[in-house]
Amino acid sequence: MALRFACNGALRSSIFRAPSIRPSSLSVSRRPPTRLSSNSNNTAPKENALVASFPSLQKLVQQAKSDPGNIVMNLGAIMSLSGFMMSDVMHLRFLSICGSMCGITYNVTRKPPQYNACYWGLVFVSVNIYHLYYLYLERNEDMTFNPEEMLLYSCQFKQWGVEPWQFKKLVRLDGCRFRKYKRGDIIINADKKLNDVLMVVRGEVGAESPDSPPLARKPMYTYRGDGHNGCVIGGTALVDANVRNKKYPNRLVCEADDTIVVKWDTNELSLVMEKDKEVESAVLHSLYTELIQGLRRDRQNRKDEDSADRMYDKLMEFERLIDGAIKNAAIENGVVTLNSKDKREVREYARKNGVTLAQRESLVWKHKWTMDEWDDGAKVIADQEAGSAAVVA
Protein backbone atom coordinates (compact mmCIF):
# COMPACT_ATOMS: atom_id res chain seq x y z
CA MET A 1 0.00 0.00 0.00
CA ALA A 2 2.77 2.40 0.89
CA LEU A 3 4.53 1.46 -2.29
CA ARG A 4 1.40 2.38 -4.32
CA PHE A 5 1.17 5.86 -2.83
CA ALA A 6 4.87 6.48 -3.48
CA CYS A 7 4.50 5.54 -7.14
CA ASN A 8 1.48 7.84 -7.59
CA GLY A 9 3.32 10.80 -6.04
CA ALA A 10 6.33 10.28 -8.28
CA LEU A 11 4.09 10.13 -11.33
CA ARG A 12 2.31 13.43 -10.47
CA SER A 13 5.59 15.22 -9.88
CA SER A 14 6.91 14.09 -13.25
CA ILE A 15 3.78 15.31 -15.04
CA PHE A 16 3.29 18.77 -13.44
CA ARG A 17 6.94 19.69 -13.01
CA ALA A 18 7.91 20.18 -16.63
CA PRO A 19 11.17 21.99 -17.36
CA SER A 20 10.73 25.78 -18.02
CA ILE A 21 11.36 26.90 -21.62
CA ARG A 22 13.02 30.25 -22.18
CA PRO A 23 11.70 32.56 -24.94
CA SER A 24 15.14 32.88 -26.41
CA SER A 25 15.30 29.17 -26.97
CA LEU A 26 12.21 29.18 -29.24
CA SER A 27 13.00 29.57 -32.90
CA VAL A 28 9.80 31.20 -34.14
CA SER A 29 9.96 33.13 -37.43
CA ARG A 30 8.35 36.57 -37.12
CA ARG A 31 6.96 38.57 -40.08
CA PRO A 32 7.81 42.24 -40.23
CA PRO A 33 4.72 44.45 -39.64
CA THR A 34 3.07 45.52 -42.86
CA ARG A 35 2.75 49.27 -43.28
CA LEU A 36 -0.49 50.49 -44.80
CA SER A 37 -0.45 53.47 -47.06
CA SER A 38 -1.82 56.72 -45.71
CA ASN A 39 -4.85 56.65 -48.05
CA SER A 40 -5.94 53.14 -47.11
CA ASN A 41 -5.19 53.75 -43.45
CA ASN A 42 -7.13 57.05 -43.08
CA THR A 43 -9.63 57.55 -45.91
CA ALA A 44 -11.33 54.18 -45.92
CA PRO A 45 -12.11 54.08 -42.19
CA LYS A 46 -13.36 57.67 -42.33
CA GLU A 47 -15.64 56.94 -45.26
CA ASN A 48 -16.96 53.84 -43.60
CA ALA A 49 -17.54 55.74 -40.37
CA LEU A 50 -19.37 58.54 -42.22
CA VAL A 51 -21.63 56.11 -44.06
CA ALA A 52 -22.25 54.10 -40.91
CA SER A 53 -23.23 57.20 -38.95
CA PHE A 54 -26.16 57.89 -41.33
CA PRO A 55 -28.32 54.83 -41.95
CA SER A 56 -30.22 56.51 -44.78
CA LEU A 57 -26.97 57.44 -46.50
CA GLN A 58 -25.71 53.90 -46.07
CA LYS A 59 -28.87 52.58 -47.63
CA LEU A 60 -28.55 55.04 -50.52
CA VAL A 61 -24.96 54.01 -51.16
CA GLN A 62 -25.97 50.37 -51.18
CA GLN A 63 -28.75 51.04 -53.66
CA ALA A 64 -26.40 53.06 -55.88
CA LYS A 65 -23.91 50.21 -55.93
CA SER A 66 -26.57 47.64 -56.64
CA ASP A 67 -28.49 49.75 -59.22
CA PRO A 68 -26.66 52.79 -60.70
CA GLY A 69 -29.74 53.62 -62.73
CA ASN A 70 -31.29 55.24 -59.64
CA ILE A 71 -28.55 57.87 -59.65
CA VAL A 72 -29.22 58.62 -63.32
CA MET A 73 -32.96 58.91 -62.69
CA ASN A 74 -32.53 61.34 -59.75
CA LEU A 75 -30.02 63.38 -61.72
CA GLY A 76 -32.50 63.69 -64.59
CA ALA A 77 -35.26 64.78 -62.21
CA ILE A 78 -33.00 67.50 -60.79
CA MET A 79 -32.18 68.76 -64.31
CA SER A 80 -35.85 68.86 -65.31
CA LEU A 81 -36.74 70.74 -62.12
CA SER A 82 -33.89 73.21 -62.66
CA GLY A 83 -35.21 73.87 -66.17
CA PHE A 84 -38.54 75.09 -64.80
CA MET A 85 -36.65 77.62 -62.68
CA MET A 86 -35.05 79.26 -65.73
CA SER A 87 -36.50 82.44 -67.19
CA ASP A 88 -34.79 81.85 -70.53
CA VAL A 89 -36.72 79.40 -72.73
CA MET A 90 -33.53 78.14 -74.37
CA HIS A 91 -32.07 77.10 -71.02
CA LEU A 92 -35.37 75.47 -70.06
CA ARG A 93 -35.49 73.33 -73.20
CA PHE A 94 -31.84 72.33 -72.93
CA LEU A 95 -32.24 71.10 -69.36
CA SER A 96 -35.46 69.33 -70.31
CA ILE A 97 -33.57 67.43 -73.01
CA CYS A 98 -30.92 66.38 -70.48
CA GLY A 99 -33.60 65.26 -68.03
CA SER A 100 -35.40 63.22 -70.70
CA MET A 101 -32.14 61.53 -71.75
CA CYS A 102 -31.49 60.50 -68.15
CA GLY A 103 -35.02 59.12 -67.95
CA ILE A 104 -34.48 57.11 -71.16
CA THR A 105 -31.24 55.70 -69.77
CA TYR A 106 -32.97 54.64 -66.58
CA ASN A 107 -35.84 52.90 -68.40
CA VAL A 108 -33.49 51.05 -70.78
CA THR A 109 -31.48 49.59 -67.89
CA ARG A 110 -34.58 48.09 -66.23
CA LYS A 111 -35.18 44.37 -66.35
CA PRO A 112 -37.19 44.02 -68.44
CA PRO A 113 -36.53 47.34 -70.29
CA GLN A 114 -39.40 49.86 -70.27
CA TYR A 115 -39.52 50.59 -73.99
CA ASN A 116 -42.85 52.41 -73.84
CA ALA A 117 -41.43 55.06 -71.50
CA CYS A 118 -38.32 55.29 -73.68
CA TYR A 119 -40.39 56.06 -76.76
CA TRP A 120 -42.22 58.87 -74.97
CA GLY A 121 -38.92 60.25 -73.77
CA LEU A 122 -37.65 60.33 -77.34
CA VAL A 123 -40.78 62.26 -78.37
CA PHE A 124 -40.11 64.89 -75.69
CA VAL A 125 -36.47 65.15 -76.72
CA SER A 126 -37.41 65.57 -80.39
CA VAL A 127 -39.91 68.35 -79.69
CA ASN A 128 -37.44 70.26 -77.51
CA ILE A 129 -34.64 69.89 -80.06
CA TYR A 130 -36.94 71.20 -82.80
CA HIS A 131 -37.84 74.36 -80.87
CA LEU A 132 -34.29 74.77 -79.58
CA TYR A 133 -33.02 74.86 -83.15
CA TYR A 134 -35.40 77.66 -84.15
CA LEU A 135 -34.60 79.60 -80.98
CA TYR A 136 -30.94 79.39 -81.90
CA LEU A 137 -31.62 80.66 -85.42
CA GLU A 138 -33.78 83.48 -84.08
CA ARG A 139 -31.14 84.71 -81.66
CA ASN A 140 -28.26 84.50 -84.11
CA GLU A 141 -29.82 86.37 -86.99
CA ASP A 142 -28.75 89.84 -88.09
CA MET A 143 -29.00 92.21 -85.11
CA THR A 144 -28.18 95.49 -86.85
CA PHE A 145 -30.21 98.56 -85.78
CA ASN A 146 -30.73 101.86 -87.54
CA PRO A 147 -29.95 105.05 -85.51
CA GLU A 148 -33.55 105.52 -84.36
CA GLU A 149 -33.88 101.89 -83.23
CA MET A 150 -30.52 102.01 -81.46
CA LEU A 151 -31.48 105.18 -79.60
CA LEU A 152 -34.81 103.70 -78.51
CA TYR A 153 -33.22 100.42 -77.41
CA SER A 154 -30.40 102.01 -75.42
CA CYS A 155 -32.64 104.59 -73.72
CA GLN A 156 -35.81 102.67 -72.93
CA PHE A 157 -35.30 98.89 -73.19
CA LYS A 158 -31.71 97.83 -72.56
CA GLN A 159 -31.66 98.83 -68.91
CA TRP A 160 -34.64 96.55 -68.20
CA GLY A 161 -33.00 93.37 -69.44
CA VAL A 162 -34.47 93.31 -72.95
CA GLU A 163 -32.16 91.35 -75.25
CA PRO A 164 -31.41 92.68 -78.77
CA TRP A 165 -33.29 89.79 -80.40
CA GLN A 166 -36.36 90.57 -78.27
CA PHE A 167 -36.24 94.24 -79.22
CA LYS A 168 -35.77 93.30 -82.88
CA LYS A 169 -38.94 91.25 -82.70
CA LEU A 170 -40.70 94.27 -81.18
CA VAL A 171 -39.73 96.70 -83.93
CA ARG A 172 -40.51 94.16 -86.66
CA LEU A 173 -44.18 94.02 -85.74
CA ASP A 174 -46.64 94.81 -88.50
CA GLY A 175 -48.01 97.78 -86.56
CA CYS A 176 -44.63 99.35 -85.73
CA ARG A 177 -43.79 102.60 -87.58
CA PHE A 178 -41.14 105.26 -87.03
CA ARG A 179 -42.29 108.77 -87.99
CA LYS A 180 -40.35 112.04 -88.19
CA TYR A 181 -42.09 115.39 -87.55
CA LYS A 182 -41.31 119.09 -87.76
CA ARG A 183 -42.26 121.78 -85.31
CA GLY A 184 -45.95 122.56 -85.57
CA ASP A 185 -46.96 119.26 -87.18
CA ILE A 186 -50.11 117.71 -85.74
CA ILE A 187 -49.45 114.13 -84.63
CA ILE A 188 -52.88 113.30 -83.21
CA ASN A 189 -56.04 115.37 -83.62
CA ALA A 190 -58.37 115.81 -80.69
CA ASP A 191 -61.58 113.80 -80.26
CA LYS A 192 -60.37 110.88 -82.38
CA LYS A 193 -59.86 107.27 -81.35
CA LEU A 194 -56.26 106.41 -80.62
CA ASN A 195 -55.58 102.81 -81.69
CA ASP A 196 -51.80 103.07 -81.29
CA VAL A 197 -49.32 103.34 -78.48
CA LEU A 198 -46.82 106.13 -79.13
CA MET A 199 -43.34 106.51 -77.68
CA VAL A 200 -41.28 109.65 -78.25
CA VAL A 201 -37.79 108.56 -79.31
CA ARG A 202 -36.28 112.01 -79.82
CA GLY A 203 -37.58 115.55 -79.51
CA GLU A 204 -40.70 116.79 -77.74
CA VAL A 205 -44.45 116.49 -78.22
CA GLY A 206 -46.97 118.77 -76.53
CA ALA A 207 -50.59 118.16 -75.56
CA GLU A 208 -52.70 121.21 -76.41
CA SER A 209 -56.31 122.23 -76.20
CA PRO A 210 -58.11 122.06 -79.56
CA ASP A 211 -59.70 125.48 -78.96
CA SER A 212 -56.64 127.39 -80.19
CA PRO A 213 -54.36 127.02 -83.24
CA PRO A 214 -51.23 124.83 -82.91
CA LEU A 215 -48.40 126.39 -80.90
CA ALA A 216 -50.55 129.43 -80.11
CA ARG A 217 -50.42 128.71 -76.38
CA LYS A 218 -48.11 126.96 -74.00
CA PRO A 219 -48.92 123.20 -73.99
CA MET A 220 -50.71 121.73 -70.99
CA TYR A 221 -47.95 119.12 -70.65
CA THR A 222 -45.24 117.62 -72.84
CA TYR A 223 -43.77 114.22 -73.71
CA ARG A 224 -40.00 114.16 -74.10
CA GLY A 225 -37.72 111.63 -75.77
CA ASP A 226 -33.95 111.03 -75.56
CA GLY A 227 -34.28 108.71 -72.59
CA HIS A 228 -36.52 110.90 -70.45
CA ASN A 229 -39.34 109.35 -68.47
CA GLY A 230 -42.89 110.10 -69.44
CA CYS A 231 -42.53 109.46 -73.17
CA VAL A 232 -45.45 107.02 -73.67
CA ILE A 233 -48.71 108.26 -75.20
CA GLY A 234 -51.86 106.15 -75.14
CA GLY A 235 -50.28 103.47 -72.96
CA THR A 236 -53.27 103.28 -70.64
CA ALA A 237 -55.00 101.12 -73.26
CA LEU A 238 -52.44 98.38 -72.56
CA VAL A 239 -53.76 97.88 -69.03
CA ASP A 240 -57.36 99.00 -69.49
CA ALA A 241 -59.20 97.66 -72.54
CA ASN A 242 -62.11 100.08 -72.02
CA VAL A 243 -59.88 103.05 -72.83
CA ARG A 244 -59.32 101.77 -76.38
CA ASN A 245 -62.86 102.73 -77.36
CA LYS A 246 -62.60 106.28 -76.04
CA LYS A 247 -61.52 109.38 -77.96
CA TYR A 248 -58.26 111.13 -77.18
CA PRO A 249 -59.22 114.45 -75.53
CA ASN A 250 -56.27 116.63 -76.55
CA ARG A 251 -54.33 117.52 -79.66
CA LEU A 252 -50.73 116.32 -79.91
CA VAL A 253 -48.42 118.80 -81.65
CA CYS A 254 -44.70 118.51 -82.38
CA GLU A 255 -42.79 121.05 -80.28
CA ALA A 256 -39.31 120.64 -81.82
CA ASP A 257 -37.84 119.93 -85.24
CA ASP A 258 -36.63 116.42 -86.12
CA THR A 259 -38.86 114.82 -83.52
CA ILE A 260 -39.08 111.03 -83.95
CA VAL A 261 -42.08 109.07 -82.68
CA VAL A 262 -42.54 105.30 -82.87
CA LYS A 263 -46.05 103.88 -83.08
CA TRP A 264 -47.23 100.37 -82.23
CA ASP A 265 -50.61 98.86 -82.81
CA THR A 266 -52.10 98.40 -79.35
CA ASN A 267 -53.26 94.82 -79.94
CA GLU A 268 -49.95 93.70 -81.47
CA LEU A 269 -47.93 95.24 -78.64
CA SER A 270 -50.17 93.56 -76.05
CA LEU A 271 -49.45 90.14 -77.57
CA VAL A 272 -45.69 90.69 -77.48
CA MET A 273 -45.84 91.88 -73.87
CA GLU A 274 -47.69 88.71 -72.87
CA LYS A 275 -44.94 86.52 -74.35
CA ASP A 276 -41.81 88.46 -73.34
CA LYS A 277 -41.81 89.62 -69.73
CA GLU A 278 -38.69 91.73 -70.21
CA VAL A 279 -40.43 93.75 -72.92
CA GLU A 280 -43.47 94.02 -70.68
CA SER A 281 -41.32 95.33 -67.81
CA ALA A 282 -39.69 97.98 -70.01
CA VAL A 283 -42.98 99.22 -71.50
CA LEU A 284 -44.82 99.16 -68.20
CA HIS A 285 -42.01 101.08 -66.50
CA SER A 286 -42.32 103.92 -69.00
CA LEU A 287 -46.10 103.63 -68.80
CA TYR A 288 -46.02 103.67 -65.00
CA THR A 289 -43.90 106.80 -65.01
CA GLU A 290 -46.31 108.44 -67.43
CA LEU A 291 -49.31 107.45 -65.28
CA ILE A 292 -47.64 108.90 -62.20
CA GLN A 293 -46.89 112.13 -64.03
CA GLY A 294 -50.47 112.22 -65.32
CA LEU A 295 -51.82 111.82 -61.81
CA ARG A 296 -49.53 114.60 -60.64
CA ARG A 297 -50.75 116.84 -63.45
CA ASP A 298 -54.38 116.12 -62.62
CA ARG A 299 -53.70 116.67 -58.95
CA GLN A 300 -51.93 119.96 -59.71
CA ASN A 301 -54.80 121.07 -61.94
CA ARG A 302 -57.33 120.21 -59.26
CA LYS A 303 -55.15 121.93 -56.71
CA ASP A 304 -54.92 125.04 -58.87
CA GLU A 305 -58.68 125.01 -59.43
CA ASP A 306 -59.36 124.61 -55.72
CA SER A 307 -56.86 127.34 -54.93
CA ALA A 308 -58.52 129.67 -57.46
CA ASP A 309 -61.95 128.93 -55.99
CA ARG A 310 -60.72 129.60 -52.48
CA MET A 311 -59.06 132.85 -53.55
CA TYR A 312 -62.21 133.94 -55.34
CA ASP A 313 -64.25 133.44 -52.17
CA LYS A 314 -61.68 135.39 -50.17
CA LEU A 315 -61.75 138.31 -52.60
CA MET A 316 -65.55 138.37 -52.56
CA GLU A 317 -65.48 138.56 -48.78
CA PHE A 318 -62.80 141.23 -48.92
CA GLU A 319 -64.93 143.29 -51.33
CA ARG A 320 -67.91 142.92 -49.01
CA LEU A 321 -65.84 144.33 -46.13
CA ILE A 322 -64.72 147.29 -48.23
CA ASP A 323 -68.28 147.95 -49.33
CA GLY A 324 -69.45 147.80 -45.71
CA ALA A 325 -66.69 150.17 -44.57
CA ILE A 326 -67.68 152.72 -47.22
CA LYS A 327 -71.37 152.48 -46.29
CA ASN A 328 -70.55 153.03 -42.62
CA ALA A 329 -68.41 156.07 -43.40
CA ALA A 330 -69.42 159.45 -42.02
CA ILE A 331 -70.13 162.28 -44.49
CA GLU A 332 -69.59 165.84 -43.32
CA ASN A 333 -68.97 169.01 -45.36
CA GLY A 334 -68.32 166.99 -48.53
CA VAL A 335 -65.79 164.75 -46.88
CA VAL A 336 -66.31 161.00 -46.44
CA THR A 337 -64.49 159.72 -43.37
CA LEU A 338 -63.99 155.99 -42.83
CA ASN A 339 -64.43 154.35 -39.48
CA SER A 340 -61.06 153.30 -38.05
CA LYS A 341 -62.56 150.04 -36.78
CA ASP A 342 -63.76 149.11 -40.27
CA LYS A 343 -60.38 149.97 -41.78
CA ARG A 344 -58.62 147.80 -39.19
CA GLU A 345 -60.93 144.90 -39.97
CA VAL A 346 -60.22 145.23 -43.71
CA ARG A 347 -56.48 145.44 -43.08
CA GLU A 348 -56.40 142.38 -40.79
CA TYR A 349 -58.44 140.31 -43.25
CA ALA A 350 -56.09 141.16 -46.11
CA ARG A 351 -53.05 140.20 -44.02
CA LYS A 352 -54.45 136.86 -42.83
CA ASN A 353 -55.81 135.73 -46.20
CA GLY A 354 -52.95 136.79 -48.45
CA VAL A 355 -54.73 139.54 -50.39
CA THR A 356 -52.08 141.25 -52.47
CA LEU A 357 -51.63 144.98 -52.81
CA ALA A 358 -52.69 144.87 -56.45
CA GLN A 359 -55.91 143.06 -55.52
CA ARG A 360 -56.63 145.57 -52.78
CA GLU A 361 -56.03 148.49 -55.11
CA SER A 362 -58.28 146.97 -57.77
CA LEU A 363 -61.17 146.43 -55.37
CA VAL A 364 -60.79 149.87 -53.79
CA TRP A 365 -60.71 151.46 -57.23
CA LYS A 366 -63.88 149.56 -58.09
CA HIS A 367 -65.59 151.64 -55.37
CA LYS A 368 -64.09 154.87 -56.81
CA TRP A 369 -61.47 155.25 -54.13
CA THR A 370 -57.73 155.55 -54.56
CA MET A 371 -55.25 153.81 -52.28
CA ASP A 372 -54.03 157.15 -50.96
CA GLU A 373 -57.58 158.15 -50.05
CA TRP A 374 -58.18 154.74 -48.45
CA ASP A 375 -54.97 154.94 -46.44
CA ASP A 376 -55.87 158.49 -45.30
CA GLY A 377 -59.35 157.31 -44.43
CA ALA A 378 -61.02 160.31 -46.05
CA LYS A 379 -62.23 161.36 -49.46
CA VAL A 380 -63.47 164.71 -50.72
CA ILE A 381 -66.57 164.36 -52.86
CA ALA A 382 -68.58 166.73 -54.96
CA ASP A 383 -72.08 167.89 -54.05
CA GLN A 384 -73.71 165.40 -56.43
CA GLU A 385 -71.66 162.51 -55.01
CA ALA A 386 -72.37 163.70 -51.50
CA GLY A 387 -76.09 163.68 -52.22
CA SER A 388 -75.97 160.17 -53.63
CA ALA A 389 -73.80 159.00 -50.75
CA ALA A 390 -76.26 160.46 -48.29
CA VAL A 391 -79.11 158.66 -50.02
CA VAL A 392 -77.14 155.35 -49.87
CA ALA A 393 -76.29 155.91 -46.21
Side-chain angles (χ1 to χ4, degrees):
M1 192 70 167
L3 182 59
R4 184 182 298 175
F5 282 113
C7 291
N8 291 334
L11 182 61
R12 290 191 190 98
S13 61
S14 63
I15 293 173
F16 292 101
R17 291 181 182 179
S20 61
I21 300 175
R22 295 180 180 179
S24 60
S25 63
L26 297 176
S27 60
V28 179
S29 62
R30 296 181 180 177
R31 292 183 179 180
T34 59
R35 295 183 179 180
L36 299 176
S37 62
S38 60
N39 293 334
S40 61
N41 190 24
N42 298 326
T43 308
K46 288 183 179 180
E47 290 179 353
N48 295 332
L50 179 63
V51 173
S53 60
F54 296 97
S56 59
L57 182 61
Q58 185 178 7
K59 184 178 179 180
L60 182 62
V61 171
Q62 292 176 356
Q63 290 179 355
K65 290 180 179 180
S66 61
D67 188 5
N70 288 323
I71 298 179
V72 177
M73 180 192 67
N74 289 301
L75 183 62
I78 293 174
M79 288 184 179
S80 299
L81 179 62
S82 301
F84 288 108
M85 297 179 183
M86 299 296 169
S87 59
D88 194 336
V89 181
M90 182 174 285
H91 297 163
L92 187 150
R93 293 193 178 279
F94 178 76
L95 290 173
S96 296
I97 291 173
C98 294
S100 298
M101 295 299 297
C102 292
I104 293 173
T105 304
Y106 172 78
N107 290 307
V108 168
T109 57
R110 299 304 91 197
K111 295 180 180 179
Q114 304 295 322
Y115 291 114
N116 189 28
C118 294
Y119 294 150
W120 277 111
L122 289 174
V123 171
F124 294 151
V125 169
S126 302
V127 171
N128 282 314
I129 289 177
Y130 173 80
H131 288 286
L132 195 62
Y133 172 72
Y134 280 99
L135 283 173
Y136 175 79
L137 293 180
E138 183 182 61
R139 298 189 183 188
N140 287 274
E141 61 180 346
D142 186 19
M143 289 291 111
T144 57
F145 298 148
N146 58 40
E148 292 80 10
E149 293 174 350
M150 191 63 194
L151 179 61
L152 179 62
Y153 173 71
S154 59
C155 293
Q156 298 294 340
F157 291 92
K158 184 178 180 180
Q159 59 181 336
W160 296 103
V162 179
E163 297 294 335
W165 61 270
Q166 291 174 312
F167 178 74
K168 197 68 176 180
K169 184 192 300 183
L170 185 64
V171 296
R172 283 183 177 179
L173 291 175
D174 294 335
C176 180
R177 295 94 65 196
F178 282 83
R179 296 289 183 267
K180 192 172 183 179
Y181 297 96
K182 297 180 180 179
R183 176 177 168 81
D185 291 345
I186 298 177
I187 301 174
I188 299 294
N189 283 310
D191 297 330
K192 287 189 176 181
K193 290 184 179 181
L194 183 60
N195 298 321
D196 297 327
V197 176
L198 285 67
M199 185 176 288
V200 183
V201 181
R202 185 176 63 194
E204 188 173 2
V205 175
E208 299 180 347
S209 174
D211 299 334
S212 59
L215 303 178
R217 297 180 182 178
K218 183 178 179 181
M220 296 180 289
Y221 47 89
T222 58
Y223 302 92
R224 298 182 61 189
D226 301 300
H228 292 85
N229 292 325
C231 61
V232 179
I233 305 171
T236 311
L238 294 173
V239 294
D240 188 1
N242 296 324
V243 179
R244 301 180 187 181
N245 299 323
K246 295 182 179 179
K247 296 180 179 180
Y248 197 75
N250 302 317
R251 180 180 59 212
L252 297 179
V253 180
C254 179
E255 298 287 334
D257 291 330
D258 297 331
T259 295
I260 298 176
V261 177
V262 59
K263 299 180 180 181
W264 285 285
D265 182 81
T266 305
N267 296 325
E268 294 289 338
L269 184 58
S270 298
L271 293 176
V272 175
M273 290 173 60
E274 290 178 1
K275 295 179 181 179
D276 293 330
K277 296 303 178 183
E278 290 81 5
V279 174
E280 182 182 24
S281 300
V283 175
L284 289 182
H285 167 72
S286 300
L287 177 60
Y288 171 78
T289 305
E290 174 55 31
L291 290 175
I292 293 299
Q293 291 184 354
L295 291 175
R296 289 177 178 173
R297 287 193 298 264
D298 294 340
R299 187 182 304 168
Q300 184 63 35
N301 292 336
R302 289 195 300 268
K303 184 178 179 180
D304 294 342
E305 291 176 359
D306 295 340
S307 177
D309 292 340
R310 288 194 299 269
M311 195 63 200
Y312 176 78
D313 296 337
K314 292 177 181 179
L315 292 177
M316 292 298 294
E317 179 64 20
F318 186 71
E319 184 179 4
R320 188 189 64 81
L321 293 176
I322 293 176
D323 187 65
I326 294 175
K327 288 182 178 180
N328 295 331
I331 302 174
E332 185 177 357
N333 297 327
V335 178
V336 180
T337 305
L338 298 175
N339 191 325
S340 59
K341 182 179 179 181
D342 294 336
K343 282 189 60 180
R344 187 184 306 110
E345 184 179 2
V346 171
R347 184 174 61 252
E348 292 295 328
Y349 184 87
R351 183 180 61 82
K352 292 180 180 179
N353 293 276
V355 181
T356 63
L357 180 62
Q359 292 170 342
R360 292 174 57 189
E361 185 175 0
S362 176
L363 293 176
V364 169
W365 180 259
K366 184 178 178 180
H367 290 78
K368 299 180 180 181
W369 281 61
T370 64
M371 284 302 300
D372 293 336
E373 294 173 342
W374 181 267
D375 292 337
D376 295 339
K379 176 185 177 182
V380 179
I381 59 176
D383 294 339
Q384 184 177 0
E385 292 182 358
S388 60
V391 171
V392 172

